[in-house]
Amino acid sequence: MEEVKALTKAHYKQAMRPAFLASETAKSLSSSKNEHIPDRDWESSFFVWHHPDSTTTVLPDRLRRSMEDYISQLIQLAEKLSEHMCQNLGIRRSHMMEAFSGCRAPSVGTKVAMYPECPRPDLMRGLREHTDAGGIILLLQDDQVPGLEFLKGGEWVKILPSKNNMIFVNIGDQVEILSNGVYKSAVHRVMAMREGNHLSIATFYNPAGDAVISPAADLLVPKEIRFKDYLSLYTKTKFGDKAIRFQSLKAMATHN
């Protein structure tokens, strides 16, 4: 993990920083008349796929080898997390992996981003507010420079730099769909910083492109029921626990 971060920072300095400084984003900030720029991100990034097909050959050899070693272990972590999440939901441990697989296998890719020092962080975000489209996101971020924030309860919560190579786990939209809203995809952003470069290496464990994602059937309580059947049960259990009543409906639907 230390090697991945060090080689990524070296790659940014050699191959990415000059292009970023010459980009329209950098020019738009220098020409701004003290007005917020809402449609650009102060970010220099690239994306590579790992699985089921790899595009890491575009990387320098040392970075490619280090990244591949790191990702092989990260995929195992994502799979184990998916099993635990399914267990928490009360569905088969393999459900998420199978749902994400499509015809071949889940898609795994990494976005490597550097958020350079910004002369006017008040005018531009590092990365605008959004949720992630996919599944489980495993983030290896900077251990010195902050910037990441998550929205919780209407307030923006600052995420401190990750010491000791802590992996930050985020949830994407497809997990919210599969879990029928039990797990929520989180709104987050990266703030531009006046001092220091903020590194972000986000690996996405996503559904395959042809995967069809829907709420797990066992989480629909019940999937469908005629209202007169519900009323029949309701009159007998009106003053009881609603959760038990819904479980009874679920059992009825399963048996039918």
Side-chain angles (χ1 to χ4, degrees), residues 1-242:
M1 295 163 78
E2 287 292 341
E3 187 175 84
V4 167
K5 290 192 295 186
L7 293 173
T8 299
K9 290 178 180 179
H11 180 65
Y12 166 73
K13 289 180 181 178
Q14 295 170 9
M16 298 170 65
R17 187 172 185 273
F20 177 76
L21 294 177
S23 68
E24 290 299 320
T25 296
K27 292 177 182 177
S28 68
L29 189 63
S30 61
S31 62
S32 173
K33 299 179 181 179
N34 292 325
E35 296 178 353
H36 182 72
I37 303 172
D39 56 351
R40 291 184 181 274
D41 301 308
W42 191 258
E43 172 192 74
S44 177
S45 65
F46 64 86
F47 191 95
V48 290
W49 290 106
H50 309 289
H51 191 72
D53 299 310
S54 175
T55 61
T56 57
T57 53
V58 300
L59 300 177
D61 284 345
R62 284 190 63 199
L63 177 56
R64 176 184 57 78
R65 291 194 298 269
S66 184
M67 182 73 75
E68 288 175 350
D69 288 344
Y70 169 64
I71 294 300
S72 67
Q73 298 177 66
L74 217 59
I75 290 174
Q76 295 178 50
L77 173 58
E79 290 175 342
K80 186 169 289 292
L81 283 170
S82 76
E83 290 180 345
H84 288 314
M85 292 166 73
C86 288
Q87 187 174 22
N88 287 344
L89 292 168
I91 60 179
R92 286 183 299 105
R93 290 170 62 92
S94 60
H95 182 95
M96 190 180 299
M97 280 189 282
E98 292 170 0
F100 279 17
S101 290
C103 292
R104 298 179 63 191
S107 297
V108 181
T110 297
K111 177 187 175 184
V112 177
M114 186 71 79
Y115 300 93
E117 294 180 346
C118 182
R120 292 297 305 272
D122 54 317
L123 300 184
M124 187 182 297
R125 293 276 190 270
L127 184 61
R128 286 162 285 172
E129 294 83 350
H130 66 288
T131 61
D132 290 327
I136 299 174
I137 301 90
L138 302 176
L139 174 64
L140 177 62
Q141 66 162 348
D142 206 282
D143 59 1
Q144 298 293 327
V145 181
L148 179 64
E149 296 184 354
F150 273 77
L151 188 64
K152 182 177 177 63
E155 301 287 339
W156 285 104
V157 178
K158 299 180 186 297
I159 304 301
L160 298 176
S162 296
K163 302 296 184 182
N164 302 318
N165 289 320
M166 185 184 299
I167 293 288
F168 194 91
V169 181
N170 189 21
I171 299 301
D173 295 342
Q174 303 311 302
V175 172
E176 180 165 342
I177 293 170
L178 184 145
S179 69
N180 200 26
V182 177
Y183 283 105
K184 307 289 187 183
S185 59
V187 178
H188 56 288
R189 67 187 182 184
V190 180
M191 303 301 289
M193 307 301 290
R194 189 178 295 277
E195 297 181 357
N197 299 326
H198 175 81
L199 175 64
S200 168
I201 303 174
T203 299
F204 298 81
Y205 181 79
N206 284 350
D210 64 345
V212 177
I213 306 301
S214 62
D218 287 345
L219 298 178
L220 302 176
V221 188
K223 184 176 181 181
E224 55 187 25
I225 191 75
R226 287 180 300 183
F227 184 54
K228 69 175 185 179
D229 293 334
Y230 179 79
L231 279 178
S232 175
L233 178 63
Y234 177 80
T235 56
K236 302 171 186 175
T237 61
K238 178 177 179 178
F239 300 105
D241 188 331
K242 176 180 67 176

